Amino acid sequence: MLKNPEDRRARRSRKLLKESLLELMKRKSFSDISVRDVTDAADMNRATFYLHYSGTAELLQSVEEDLLSELQALVDSHMQETFAVGSVAPVFEPVLDFAVEHREICAVLFASSEASGFFQSIQRLVHENGAPLVRTWFQPEDPRLTDYLLNFLAWGFIGLLAEWFEKDMALPKAELLAAAQRMADSAAAGLFPREERRTS
């Protein structure tokens, strides 16, 4: 059965609007981008825009949600292996590859102060997926330490990625992964005594 052409048209319109917003955000501050700017860039009328979004803020939020939804699905597909081996290595490399694949979008969102909600969403994603790992591997007596560790790692990962992109990914990926792994291990070892770590 053929898909509804109206659905295809709506998806295409939303895709064009998102691409146009991201293109505009490379050149100007998000707060200076109007609905007309977006529709002009997408060669679309404003009535069509308002069929899908209430304004540019909702459009930006939709861009971020799409990216985070894909990222969560990727994490889910590697979580079982991550638990099994006792290391974040199985999930970290695919996540880095995902960031590289979506480098342009990530770079725009990282550079936009209005996209701070994106940072907070990544922080939540790290916490929701990381907390069960920390509980399993370290059995921390004080759960507040888990929050500190995961927030530290989330912001550290964002900074690491932003710096890597800024330097045009000059550091080989394998070296970046190894450095990130060492930093994560050191942070965890600094918060949780050795005897709390899971013995293999």
Side-chain angles (χ1 to χ4, degrees):
M1 189 169 106
L2 290 175
K3 287 184 180 291
N4 186 335
E6 288 297 324
D7 290 343
R8 286 202 304 271
R9 193 175 299 118
R11 282 197 301 273
R12 181 176 176 275
S13 294
R14 288 193 290 268
K15 183 173 183 286
L16 280 171
L17 290 168
K18 290 171 186 177
E19 289 172 350
S20 298
L21 175 65
L22 288 167
E23 196 59 38
L24 287 164
M25 286 174 68
K26 294 178 192 175
R27 304 194 298 271
K28 60 198 295 190
S29 170
F30 175 75
S31 58
D32 294 331
I33 297 172
S34 66
V35 169
R36 182 173 292 282
D37 290 333
V38 176
T39 55
D40 285 350
D43 194 21
M44 197 177 291
N45 63 56
R46 293 175 70 192
T48 302
F49 179 99
Y50 288 116
L51 283 174
H52 304 289
Y53 305 106
S54 61
T56 54
E58 187 179 354
L59 174 58
L60 177 61
Q61 183 181 4
S62 183
V63 169
E64 295 171 355
E65 286 172 354
D66 286 352
L67 200 65
L68 290 162
S69 177
E70 284 186 60
L71 185 55
Q72 182 61 63
L74 180 67
V75 170
D76 289 344
S77 68
H78 291 87
M79 191 55 76
Q80 189 173 346
E81 184 185 0
T82 299
F83 267 110
V85 302
S87 164
V88 295
V91 74
F92 195 74
E93 184 170 5
V95 165
L96 187 60
D97 288 339
F98 176 88
V100 171
E101 181 186 347
H102 297 84
R103 178 186 177 185
E104 198 169 80
I105 298 176
C106 290
V108 168
L109 293 175
F110 287 166
S112 172
S113 60
E114 292 89 356
S116 58
F118 181 62
F119 292 164
Q120 290 159 354
S121 295
I122 290 178
Q123 186 181 3
R124 281 196 299 274
L125 185 144
V126 169
H127 195 279
E128 288 166 6
N129 293 282
L133 295 173
V134 173
R135 285 195 298 269
T136 299
W137 294 341
F138 303 107
Q139 297 90 41
E141 293 180 6
D142 187 345
R144 290 174 299 182
L145 292 180
T146 300
D147 295 335
Y148 282 116
L149 174 66
L150 293 172
N151 287 337
F152 177 79
L153 293 177
W155 289 105
F157 176 70
I158 290 169
L160 198 71
L161 202 55
E163 179 71 10
W164 196 47
F165 286 163
E166 179 69 23
K167 296 291 191 293
D168 205 24
M169 301 188 294
L171 186 71
K173 187 182 84 171
E175 290 185 33
L176 182 76
L177 284 167
Q181 184 72 54
R182 287 195 301 272
M183 286 186 269
D185 287 346
S186 296
L191 273 182
F192 302 113
R194 278 288 167 191
E195 58 269 20
E196 285 190 5
R197 300 198 65 161
R198 189 185 69 172
T199 53
S200 46

